[in-house]
Amino acid sequence: MKQLVAFDLDGTLAESKQPLPDWMAQAVADLLEVAHVAVISGGDWPQFDKQVASRLPPRADLARLWLMPTTGTKLYTHRGGIWSPVYAELFDEAQKQAIFSAFDASLEATGFVPERTWGERIEDRGSQITFSALGQQAPIHAKEIWDPDFAKRKIIQADLRTRLPGLSINMGGATSIDITREGVDKAYGLKKLRDASGISLGAMMFIGDAIFPGGNDYPAKELGLDTIRVRDPRETLAVMETIVACQKS
Ligand SMILES: [Mg+2]
């Protein structure tokens, strides 16, 4: 008997970035009658609100729903009639300043200060900071020629790692570098959920569309949870109906 069913969002409960369809919102409400439900995904809270929270019917038992944006570095629960964060592992002001300064120092040290930039170069997502070398409004052609083979960013990345120990520093799009805490993945988020809910990992199961090596749901399996891999939200619905039937019997 599982106490909690955790889900990936995009490709599992909904199509990518889309709101839950009505039939899925009803299925989540049905499942909440027999178990706790968690949703864990890389998007931030506004995306969760749009895709999940605002879609559920009034009968849904929201006291048993756990919403985990930004891969579980944030947890939202519904208490006293509103959704609010239980925790949010944001970089604090001092950490942010250290990150901003490290970028400046790193560009200086590696000799890759761009001749020209377009718009803000730092985007703050709370638990992730993204640095765009040429600025967020840089034209495509400028971005394409700046670092097509990642050569500049590999050097900047190596330099940054010496300046920012304990952080995960990875190359993103054409000119960007993402900084997060080290080791943030869905296994990390699920352990945070265990601690916040008091429900053991053995009493949880996980359902997702990317449970394969390299997939962003795979850490849940590696963590030792019972997992079910689905193709799409339709298949998720079938799995949910089976769980509801089994939990009732
Ligand atoms: Mg997915």
Side-chain angles (χ1 to χ4, degrees), residues 11-101:
T12 300
L13 286 178
E15 299 300 333
S16 184
K17 305 280 190 290
Q18 299 305 305
L20 261 58
D22 280 332
W23 48 264
M24 180 57 84
Q26 296 295 340
V28 171
D30 291 343
L31 188 55
L32 282 166
E33 289 178 18
V34 299
H36 288 257
V37 170
V39 183
I40 180 166
S41 167
D44 208 347
W45 170 254
Q47 194 66 28
F48 265 72
D49 191 24
K50 187 186 107 185
Q51 285 184 267
V52 184
S54 65
R55 299 289 302 153
L56 297 172
R59 69 183 177 91
D61 182 0
L62 301 180
R64 295 212 272 192
L65 184 58
W66 308 78
L67 298 181
M68 308 193 75
T70 52
T71 319
T73 59
K74 297 178 188 174
L75 168 64
Y76 279 70
T77 57
H78 194 266
R79 302 286 182 267
I82 53 162
W83 286 101
S84 50
V86 177
Y87 67 77
E89 295 181 347
L90 309 181
F91 287 123
D92 64 29
E93 234 8 83
Q95 287 171 315
K96 281 187 207 171
Q97 288 309 322
I99 291 168
F100 299 164
S101 307

Side-chain angles (χ1 to χ4, degrees), residues 81-223:
I82 53 162
W83 286 101
S84 50
V86 177
Y87 67 77
E89 295 181 347
L90 309 181
F91 287 123
D92 64 29
E93 234 8 83
Q95 287 171 315
K96 281 187 207 171
Q97 288 309 322
I99 291 168
F100 299 164
S101 307
F103 271 117
D104 288 337
S106 206
L107 290 177
E108 212 46 78
T110 57
F112 292 132
V113 179
E115 284 172 20
R116 186 175 168 196
T117 59
W118 292 262
E120 286 295 320
R121 293 206 288 171
I122 304 266
E123 186 189 350
D124 180 1
R125 293 184 190 166
S127 51
Q128 175 176 315
I129 290 182
T130 297
F131 170 80
S132 305
L134 302 183
Q136 290 172 48
Q137 272 83 51
I140 296 276
H141 70 269
K143 290 206 264 190
E144 280 173 352
I145 57 171
W146 186 71
D147 189 26
D149 53 1
F150 297 94
K152 287 178 182 154
R153 274 174 299 162
K154 279 180 190 163
I155 294 168
I156 296 169
Q157 182 188 38
D159 182 86
L160 276 174
R161 282 183 171 156
T162 67
R163 296 174 196 275
L164 298 169
L167 297 181
S168 172
I169 300 166
N170 290 298
M171 290 176 271
T175 64
S176 62
I177 293 176
D178 295 329
I179 298 203
T180 57
R181 284 198 177 74
E182 205 136 49
V184 171
D185 60 19
K186 290 193 186 180
Y188 171 89
L190 289 163
K191 284 188 278 186
K192 299 282 300 183
L193 177 61
R194 171 198 60 198
D195 298 343
S197 67
I199 297 171
S200 72
L201 295 175
M204 296 181 188
M205 61 186 297
F206 182 87
I207 299 171
D209 70 325
I211 305 174
F212 49 81
N216 69 357
D217 296 326
Y218 196 64
K221 188 181 178 76
E222 289 180 301
L223 185 61

Side-chain angles (χ1 to χ4, degrees), residues 2 4-7 201-207 225-228 239 243:
K2 299 295 184 188
L4 184 147
V5 186
F7 294 89
L201 295 175
M204 296 181 188
M205 61 186 297
F206 182 87
I207 299 171
L225 260 66
D226 290 317
T227 58
I228 298 176
V239 171
I243 294 169

